[in-house]
Amino acid sequence: MRVRICLVGLGAVGQGFLRAAQLKGEYLKKRYGLELTFTGVADSSGAIHDGNGLDIAEILRHKREEGVGSHPSGVEGMSGLELLDEVEYDCLVEATPTSITDGEPGRSLLIKALGDGKHVVTSNKGHLALFYSELMELSSETGAELMFEASVGGAMPIINLARETLTSCSIESVIGILNGTTNFILSRMTSEGSSYEQALLEAQELGIAETNPAQDVEGTDAACKAVILANAILGRPCTLRDVSVEGITGITQGAIELAAQEGYLIKLIAEISDDTLEVGPRLVRMGSPYAVDGTLNMATLRTDLAGEVTVVGRGAGSLETASAMLTDTLTIWRRHRDSR
Amino acid sequence: MRVRICLVGLGAVGQGFLRAAQLKGEYLKKRYGLELTFTGVADSSGAIHDGNGLDIAEILRHKREEGVGSHPSGVEGMSGLELLDEVEYDCLVEATPTSITDGEPGRSLLIKALGDGKHVVTSNKGHLALFYSELMELSSETGAELMFEASVGGAMPIINLARETLTSCSIESVIGILNGTTNFILSRMTSEGSSYEQALLEAQELGIAETNPAQDVEGTDAACKAVILANAILGRPCTLRDVSVEGITGITQGAIELAAQEGYLIKLIAEISDDTLEVGPRLVRMGSPYAVDGTLNMATLRTDLAGEVTVVGRGAGSLETASAMLTDTLTIWRRHRDSR
C-alpha cells in the first residue's frame, strides 16, 4: 500500500530520511507491503511537488548543489506551510530546525497538518518542548497521529521502548544522558585530562559542537528532551519553563579528577519523575549503565516490576535519526492500514 | 476481557508471575481491559485447578509452606502435562526448570499446548535452545503464539526491542553479556582484585551462583541464550550444538590487570551474526556500553540504519523475569482480542 509523504526540512535529518527511504524502499515493500512515495519536499529555498511521486535520487542530487526551490520543476520561495495546501499527502515528515522561542516553523506546520487530519512524524523538539499538550490535543481531536521518537536521542528508541515494549510495567522515572555534545566534552576531559575549553574546541573542530555551543553546553537541548519525555512517558504536562537547568560550563578538570579518584564520572544528567524535572551535572558510578562515553546518549527507565531498564544509542547522525522517523512512519501505517 | 492462564512451574519465576499478576491486576484491567484468571497451577508436587479461577493469594500462601499438590483442593502427583488435559485455558505460562539434555518437561508441555492451539509464554530456555525450529513450526501450524522474552536476560527486553521497536532497521548482529553470574564474578575480580575462586565463592554466598556453577561459568547458559537470539532476531536456524563455547574458569587476576592497564575489561561475551555463534571471554573498552558491571545483562544490536542500539537490564530476579512474561501475555492478548 502506498503512503504519500510530504517532507519539510532538508538539512542533515531531512536528507537522511530521503536516503533511508531509498535504502530501505525494497525492504519495507517486501516485508510490510509499505510503499513510500514523496509527493512534496520543501527546504528554505522553496518547494517541489508531484502527485505521482518525486524522484528521490534526483532531489538529493539537486539538493547537494542548490535548494529544491531552484529545481526546474520547483517553486522558488514556496514555504513548507504553503506546500501543505498544494500537495496530496498522508503523512507530514517534519525536520525543520528547532526554535526554543516560538517553536516555528515547526509549530505552524504541525497545527496545519494535524488540523487537516494528516499524520505527523517529527525530529524537531522546539514545538514539543513549548506546546506539547496543545499539539497532542489537536492530534486527539482529529485522530491524526503525532510521533516524535527522533526528537529525543536520535536513534535511541527510548519513547517507543517505554510505550510499546514494557507494557506490563509502570514507569516511575527516567534518568538519562540526552545530549551527545556535552557527553563528548566531559568524556574528553576525563580521558585526556583536557580543560573544558580545550575539549569544547576539539568538539567544534570535529563538528560535534556548533560554533555557538550555548544550547548544548548550557543544558537547553537536554532540557527540551526532558520535557518531551516527561510528557510522553510519564504523562506529566510541562513545558521548557518548568525545567531546572544547569549546564557544564562550570565543570573543572579538578572536579573530574576528584570524582575519578572515588570511582565516579561527571555527566550531564536529566532526571524526570512526578516531582523532579532537572538537567544538571551529576556523579555517576563507573561500571554503571550511565558511564557510557563519547557522543552516546542513554536513558534509564525505573519501573515497578522490571527494575531499571536502560537503552543506549547514537543521539545524532543523519541516517541514524532518520531511522527513528522511518520506524515511526511504519508504525503509523501499521496502526491505520486496516481502517483505510 | 478474561484470559485464562494455566501456570506450570512454581519456582522463583512462577511465583513471581503470580505476584506480578496480583500487583498489576487492576492496572491491566483499567489500562487495557485485560483480566487474568488462573484456572490451573502445577508444581513438582501436583496440581490444582478451578474453571472459575483460583485465588492467587491463597496459592502463594500455601506454596510457601508446601507444594500445591497437598492443597485441600489440589491433586497430589498430577503433572503439568496431565493438568493441560483437565483445565480450560487460553495461555500456558511455562516456568519449569531448564534442561539442556532433552528440554523436558518444558518441551512436552509446549508441544501439547501449541498442538492444542493454546498460546504459550515461557521463561525456560532448554527446549528453545534444542528445538527452536520444531516448536516455531508447530506454532505456525496451529496459529498459537509462542513468546519467550523472559528466556533471555530476564527483564532486559532484547527480543521485543529488536522485533517491535526497530522495525525500519535490518539487524546484522547481536553482541551481549547474557549471564549475570559470570558478569558478577568478573566484576569482583576487577574491582576487588579477587581471584576467580574467591569471586566465585562470594557469588555462591550471595546466592548469585549455584552450588554447582558449571552451567554459568562454563558458558552453557549464555550459549542457550545466544541460540535463542540467533533464531529469533537473525532468523538463523541453529541449536546449542552449533555454538562455540568457552567459559571464564581460565581467567586469571593477571589477565584482568593487564587489560585494565590498557583501559579494557574482560567480559563473557556472546557474539551472534550470520557467520558467528560464539560465547567466550573478550576484551571490552571501559566507557563502552559493554562495560556494565555486577549481575547486569546487556545486548547490543548492530543495525544498518540506526548504528548500534544497546539495552541493559536485570538478567534475573523473580518479579523482574515475571514482568517480561506478563508483557508477553499482554502482547498475545492484544494481537488476538479482535479475532476472538
Side-chain angles (χ1 to χ4, degrees):
Chain A
M1 198 186 288
R2 212 167 72 118
V3 169
R4 295 165 302 178
I5 304 286
C6 183
L7 169 65
V8 180
L10 263 192
V13 174
Q15 289 180 58
F17 190 82
L18 286 177
R19 283 196 296 136
Q22 226 180 357
L23 287 169
K24 305 294 283 191
E26 275 309 303
Y27 175 86
L28 295 175
K29 201 166 158 184
K30 207 173 144 188
R31 178 146 189 177
Y32 302 104
L34 167 65
E35 199 175 338
L36 293 181
T37 307
F38 290 82
T39 51
V41 174
D43 65 10
S44 53
S45 77
I48 181 168
H49 57 95
D50 182 340
N52 295 317
L54 297 158
D55 181 335
I56 299 183
E58 161 78 15
I59 302 271
L60 279 168
R61 203 164 42 237
H62 192 85
K63 175 70 191 176
R64 271 193 292 275
E65 285 146 31
E66 20 189 358
V68 296
S70 62
H71 188 281
S73 316
V75 187
E76 210 149 348
M78 178 185 269
S79 72
L81 203 57
E82 288 164 341
L83 176 66
L84 295 187
D85 265 331
E86 290 300 319
V87 66
E88 301 262 318
Y89 69 104
D90 306 301
C91 182
L92 166 66
V93 173
E94 190 256 323
T96 67
T98 288
S99 152
I100 55 159
T101 49
D102 61 5
E104 294 296 354
R107 175 172 173 259
S108 295
L109 287 163
L110 265 58
I111 289 174
K112 167 79 180 146
L114 294 171
D116 288 345
K118 310 293 186 185
H119 305 304
V120 173
V121 171
T122 181
S123 60
N124 194 340
K125 45 194 177 292
H127 43 33
L128 292 170
L130 296 169
F131 307 104
Y132 187 95
S133 301
E134 291 88 330
L135 293 168
M136 274 299 153
E137 260 167 48
L138 186 54
S139 155
S140 298
E141 272 170 39
T142 65
E145 303 251 11
L146 170 53
M147 293 193 75
F148 46 86
E149 180 65 77
S151 69
V152 179
M156 176 183 74
I158 178 68
I159 295 167
N160 294 330
L161 180 78
R163 299 210 281 199
E164 302 297 333
T165 311
L166 296 168
T167 44
S168 74
C169 298
S170 302
I171 293 169
E172 293 160 354
S173 65
V174 189
I175 304 174
I177 298 172
L178 304 179
N179 180 275
T181 305
T182 48
N183 200 27
F184 177 86
I185 292 171
L186 293 171
S187 298
R188 297 303 279 183
M189 289 174 72
T190 306
S191 63
E192 309 297 310
S194 323
S195 67
Y196 169 75
E197 289 74 17
Q198 286 168 326
L200 172 60
L201 194 64
E202 191 189 351
Q204 285 170 323
E205 283 167 1
L206 290 168
I208 292 169
E210 292 175 52
T211 316
N212 177 359
Q215 288 213 3
D216 289 324
V217 299
E218 289 170 8
T220 319
D221 174 78
C224 285
K225 294 166 180 168
V227 166
I228 296 173
L229 295 182
N231 279 282
I233 296 182
L234 297 180
R236 174 181 168 175
C238 59
T239 77
L240 193 51
R241 278 178 296 279
D242 303 313
V243 193
S244 152
V245 189
E246 187 189 337
I248 64 160
T249 54
I251 304 294
T252 62
Q253 182 49 236
I256 284 182
E257 270 170 38
L258 208 61
Q261 283 164 20
E262 302 295 319
Y264 288 87
L265 301 164
I266 298 180
K267 297 286 185 187
L268 184 68
I269 296 285
E271 288 187 74
I272 306 137
S273 69
D274 281 345
D275 48 21
T276 312
L277 188 55
E278 295 176 7
V279 169
R282 301 282 184 272
L283 293 178
V284 307
R285 198 177 54 75
M286 287 177 191
S288 75
Y290 301 91
V292 294
D293 64 11
T295 58
L296 286 173
N297 282 24
M298 59 75 63
T300 294
L301 302 166
R302 283 202 178 138
T303 72
D304 55 349
L305 294 184
E308 298 192 352
V309 176
T310 301
V311 65
V312 187
R314 295 196 188 154
S318 162
L319 211 50
E320 289 87 344
T321 305
S323 81
M325 304 181 84
L326 198 55
T327 293
D328 277 353
T329 309
L330 179 60
T331 301
I332 290 175
W333 174 75
R334 290 170 85 183
R335 281 188 196 152
H336 290 265
R337 64 183 154 183
D338 302 325
S339 60
R340 283 180 68 187
Chain B
M1 198 185 288
R2 210 168 72 118
V3 169
R4 295 164 303 177
I5 304 286
C6 183
L7 169 64
V8 179
L10 263 192
V13 174
Q15 290 180 58
F17 189 82
L18 286 177
R19 282 196 296 136
Q22 225 180 358
L23 287 169
K24 303 295 283 193
E26 274 310 302
Y27 175 85
L28 294 175
K29 201 165 158 183
K30 205 172 144 189
R31 178 145 189 181
Y32 302 104
L34 167 64
E35 197 176 338
L36 293 181
T37 308
F38 289 82
T39 50
V41 174
D43 65 9
S44 53
S45 77
I48 182 168
H49 57 94
D50 182 340
N52 295 318
L54 297 157
D55 181 335
I56 300 183
E58 161 77 13
I59 301 271
L60 280 168
R61 202 163 43 238
H62 192 84
K63 175 71 191 176
R64 272 194 290 274
E65 285 145 33
E66 20 189 355
V68 296
S70 63
H71 189 281
S73 316
V75 186
E76 209 149 348
M78 179 184 267
S79 72
L81 203 58
E82 287 163 342
L83 176 65
L84 295 188
D85 265 332
E86 290 300 319
V87 66
E88 300 262 320
Y89 69 103
D90 305 301
C91 182
L92 166 66
V93 174
E94 190 256 323
T96 66
T98 288
S99 153
I100 56 159
T101 51
D102 60 5
E104 295 295 354
R107 176 172 172 259
S108 295
L109 287 163
L110 265 60
I111 289 174
K112 166 78 179 146
L114 295 170
D116 288 345
K118 310 293 186 185
H119 305 304
V120 173
V121 172
T122 182
S123 61
N124 193 340
K125 46 193 176 293
H127 44 31
L128 293 170
L130 297 170
F131 307 105
Y132 187 94
S133 300
E134 291 89 329
L135 293 168
M136 274 300 153
E137 261 167 46
L138 187 55
S139 154
S140 298
E141 271 169 40
T142 66
E145 303 251 10
L146 170 52
M147 293 194 73
F148 46 86
E149 180 65 76
S151 69
V152 179
M156 175 184 73
I158 177 70
I159 296 167
N160 295 329
L161 180 78
R163 298 211 282 199
E164 303 297 333
T165 311
L166 297 168
T167 45
S168 73
C169 298
S170 302
I171 293 169
E172 292 160 354
S173 66
V174 189
I175 304 174
I177 299 172
L178 305 179
N179 180 275
T181 306
T182 48
N183 200 27
F184 177 86
I185 293 171
L186 294 171
S187 298
R188 298 303 279 183
M189 289 174 72
T190 306
S191 65
E192 307 299 310
S194 324
S195 67
Y196 168 74
E197 289 74 17
Q198 286 168 328
L200 171 59
L201 194 66
E202 191 189 351
Q204 286 171 322
E205 283 167 1
L206 290 168
I208 292 169
E210 293 177 50
T211 316
N212 178 357
Q215 288 212 3
D216 289 325
V217 299
E218 290 171 7
T220 319
D221 175 77
C224 284
K225 294 165 180 167
V227 166
I228 297 172
L229 296 182
N231 279 282
I233 297 181
L234 298 181
R236 174 181 168 176
C238 58
T239 77
L240 193 50
R241 279 178 296 280
D242 302 315
V243 193
S244 153
V245 188
E246 188 189 337
I248 63 160
T249 54
I251 304 296
T252 62
Q253 181 50 235
I256 285 182
E257 269 172 38
L258 209 62
Q261 283 165 21
E262 302 295 320
Y264 288 88
L265 301 164
I266 298 180
K267 297 286 185 187
L268 184 68
I269 296 285
E271 287 187 73
I272 305 137
S273 71
D274 282 343
D275 49 19
T276 312
L277 188 56
E278 294 177 7
V279 169
R282 300 281 184 274
L283 293 177
V284 307
R285 198 177 54 74
M286 287 175 190
S288 76
Y290 300 91
V292 293
D293 64 13
T295 59
L296 285 173
N297 282 23
M298 58 74 63
T300 294
L301 301 166
R302 282 203 179 137
T303 72
D304 54 349
L305 293 185
E308 299 192 352
V309 176
T310 300
V311 63
V312 187
R314 295 195 188 155
S318 163
L319 212 52
E320 289 87 344
T321 305
S323 81
M325 303 182 85
L326 198 56
T327 293
D328 277 353
T329 309
L330 178 60
T331 302
I332 289 175
W333 174 75
R334 291 170 86 185
R335 281 188 197 154
H336 290 265
R337 64 184 154 186
D338 302 325
S339 59
R340 284 180 66 185

